[in-house]
Amino acid sequence: MDYKFLFQRFIQILFSPAKAWESIYSENRPLKDTRNSFLLPLTIIVAISAIAGSFFIANKQLSFIYSLFAGLKYFILLLAVIYSSAVVLKEMTYALDLGRDFSVAFKLIVYSLTPLYVCLAVSCLFESMIIIDILALYSLFIFWEGAIKMLNPPEHKKLPLLIATAITVSGLYIAFSVVLNQITDRVFYAFFA
């Protein structure tokens, strides 16, 4: 894994999104590099944060297995939301005559959600800081910058694309979260409680 790439891209996406999208567009890395060198490490950090926050702070009375389920839930949740959002975005771009490239849709979703990874890592570790998740709305600006560079939509299609993507990601996040909460709680209480 390329830690230098992860750190540089992370900082660049958060503090200079337009420049980051220029780099992403020009370097044209394969999808597996985005997944292995950016998405998976950040998803693992969120999962570890959820495990630590659940075990040391939130659920001290429950066993460590419950904390492992909490981490696993966030790991699966993020991957499910990102991949399904990328599939939906690919179809939306096709409907808007902006192309039909899963790689572009995947990169837009993965890199745009960088503020969400940071917010989740903090709020999973310190459950009382859940209000920090509001800062994940910065993802919308990052997506806007990325859509302009990667898709080059006409002016009248930019806002509908942003709104549709925001609703899609939010809806999928809520739906997968509810389902995974029920599954992990039922499995834990059926076999480990």
Side-chain angles (χ1 to χ4, degrees):
M1 182 168 63
D2 190 357
Y3 293 107
K4 183 179 177 185
F5 168 77
L6 171 65
F7 181 73
Q8 287 175 342
R9 182 58 46 89
F10 179 79
I11 296 298
Q12 199 176 41
I13 280 285
L14 287 178
F15 298 108
S16 180
K19 186 178 175 185
W21 287 113
E22 281 289 332
S23 298
I24 294 165
Y25 183 75
S26 65
E27 69 191 14
N28 200 16
R29 284 179 173 250
L31 191 78
K32 68 177 184 140
D33 284 355
T34 304
R35 182 192 63 225
N36 296 343
S37 296
F38 193 81
L39 173 62
L40 289 178
L42 292 176
T43 306
I44 290 169
I45 288 170
V46 171
I48 290 170
S49 176
I51 292 169
S54 176
F55 185 70
F56 293 115
I57 298 170
N59 300 312
K60 287 183 174 180
Q61 69 278 10
L62 295 174
S63 71
F64 184 69
I65 300 292
Y66 186 82
S67 299
L68 287 176
F69 275 121
L72 182 63
K73 177 186 74 168
Y74 273 99
F75 184 79
I76 293 170
L77 173 66
L78 286 174
L79 292 181
V81 167
I82 288 165
Y83 275 97
S84 56
S85 296
V87 169
V88 172
L89 179 61
K90 179 188 80 159
E91 296 303 320
M92 281 192 292
T93 57
Y94 180 69
L96 293 170
D97 292 327
L98 300 173
R100 190 180 209 168
D101 189 353
F102 180 77
S103 178
V104 170
F106 184 76
K107 289 176 184 178
L108 275 168
I109 297 294
V110 168
Y111 291 126
S112 295
L113 292 180
T114 301
L116 178 67
Y117 310 138
V118 175
C119 292
L120 282 176
V122 172
S123 66
C124 285
L125 188 58
F126 304 106
E127 202 171 82
S128 61
M129 294 186 68
I130 198 160
I131 192 71
I132 200 170
D133 287 349
I134 196 80
L135 296 175
L137 290 175
Y138 181 55
S139 296
L140 295 173
F141 175 74
I142 295 173
F143 179 82
W144 181 272
E145 290 288 328
I148 291 170
K149 184 61 189 168
M150 302 292 281
L151 299 172
N152 194 20
E155 201 62 40
H156 67 281
K157 292 183 181 180
K158 289 179 184 175
L159 193 57
L161 180 65
L162 177 70
I163 292 169
T165 303
I167 290 170
T168 299
V169 172
S170 301
L172 288 171
Y173 185 89
I174 291 167
F176 281 123
S177 184
V178 167
V179 169
L180 286 170
N181 277 335
Q182 290 180 353
I183 290 172
T184 55
D185 285 350
R186 285 187 183 177
V187 169
F188 175 76
Y189 289 112
F191 298 105
F192 301 104

